[in-house]
Each structure stands twice: as structure tokens, then as C-alpha cells.
Amino acid sequence: MGSSKQDKTLIESKSLHVQIKDTSVLKGLSFRVAKGEIYALLGGNGAGKSTTLKTFLGFNQASSGAAFIDGLDVSSSLASVRKKTAYLPENATLYPHLTAKENVEYFLSLAGLNKSASEIENTFDLVALQKDAWERQLQTYSKGMRQKTAIALAILREAPIFLLDEPTSGLDPVAIDEFNQLVTELASSGATILMVTHDVYGACQVANRIGLLRKGELVGEFEANQNERIDTEVVHAAFAQRQP
Ligand SMILES: Nc1ncnc2c1ncn2[C@@H]1O[C@H](COP(=O)(O)OP(=O)(O)OP(=O)(O)O)[C@@H](O)[C@H]1O
Ligand SMILES: [Mg+2]
């Protein structure tokens, strides 16, 4: 946990401004995420969380400032950036009429990747997707199971950087705990994770650092230390703009 100056920065937003139509959605956003870190960008509805992630994938353009993935400016190195990045959108788009295996095989083939059946099965095991569901169509899945399938796909893409948009929204507390544990394991094995959420408790459970985003601006940062997680009460109070 924690970070130091020699840690390699893999995700960086530098005075990022994003304008959508005539609205300034991001207003000079700056933060960095080092290799192996979990950074949670926390903010209310409309704060600009999804816009931030989409900018790292080149779906929005910076009007000034820049977004970097592994030192590459997203606006000029989009193909390399997308290869290094696994993105979980707010509503993961997998096919309801395909099974988990078929979905994963299909999306991997689109990405030009060929994985053996055993690699896919090992990854389903890793994300704790129950075995009797692997050959079932996704339309029979709970939201948590669909989320596990999407995470399995992200892991199989072998991208070192994960961008997760509200990954636990709609999951039950047990599914959230499982998910948080998985994210923690991914980071310990060297993955770098930027997740956006409005869940204070979940963010404090997993993040090394939390950035509080309000109306497109970073209004606070909180960092875990070696022995202690970030204090939920302190972050909640800052989020709600009251005294802890
Ligand atoms: N394509 C768009 N056209 C117009 N306005 C947009 C567009 N995308 C985002 N915005 C505006 O930008 C602001 C931030 O949106 P964004 O989706 O990034 O928020 P968010 O923090 O992800 O919110 P939520 O918690 O509801 O998902 C909102 O005010 C939204 O209306
Ligand atoms: Mg959003």
C-alpha cells in the first residue's frame, strides 16, 4: 500500500479539461496512479466520473491538458493505449443469447486474441463464476454473474491497466466483497486500477488512494497508509460536505 516517488506512473491526468457541447465537464483534473495501485475516483451523479474514464480511452477529447496511459498521450497514441487498457463500462455490453464461454471467446477473437479452453476456465474460477453457469446464456445470469464474466474477459485480455466504471453498482454486499477481494488480488499481482464510484464504503475498502471529484474538479485526495485503510467516516463527511 502507499506510494513513493520512484513508483512508475501508469495512469495520469494532467490539468485535463473536457468540454462536451457547451458544458465544461472536466475542469483541470490532475491525478496519478502508480503501477500496482488502486485509485478510486469518488463523486456524485454528474460529477464527471464516466467522462474521465472515457477520456482515457479517447472517446472524449481533451480541450486542454492531457491524459496519459503508461506515459503515452491518449490523443496521439490511441491504438497502443487501448491495447494496454481493459475497460469495464457502466453497463457492460455482453450478449444475452451467448453463454459466458461464447461471449468471452467472441470478444477475445475481436481483440485478435486466442485463449485455450483451460485458460478461460481458470479465469472463470479466478473470478468465482460458478461452474454450472459457464455454458448458460447470459440472459439467465444475475447482475453479479454478468459482472464476473466481464471481469474475466478483462483479465483474459491481459491488459495491465483496468478502468472500471461503477463496477459494484447493483451488486449485493456479498458480491461486492468478492469483487473487492478480486480487485485487491489483481493489484497485488501488478495490475493498475482506476475505478470510479459513488460508493464511499467500497472505495475505502479497496483503494490506496481516493480522489474526490465534484463538478469536474478534484476537491480532495485521501491516501491509505501501510497499516490502515482510508477512514470511511472522513471521506463520507468530505463527500457530503459536512464535518466528520
Ligand atoms: N454526451 C454528452 N452530452 C451532453 N452532456 C454530457 C454528455 N456526457 C456527459 N455529459 C454531462 O457531463 C456531466 C458529467 O457526466 P458523467 O457521465 O461523466 O458523470 P458521472 O460522474 O459518471 O455521473 P453518474 O454517477 O450519474 O454516472 C453531466 O452533467 C452530463 O450531463
Ligand atoms: Mg457515470
Side-chain angles (χ1 to χ4, degrees), residues 101-121:
K101 271 192 176 165
E102 289 165 347
N103 263 291
V104 163
E105 281 163 0
Y106 174 68
F107 283 102
L108 287 173
S109 73
L110 285 187
L113 291 167
N114 195 3
K115 295 280 167 183
S116 69
S118 65
E119 281 174 294
I120 292 174
E121 288 171 3

Side-chain angles (χ1 to χ4, degrees), residues 49-50 90 165-166 196:
K49 303 183 298 296
S50 298
E90 259 174 306
D165 198 339
E166 308 266 6
V196 307

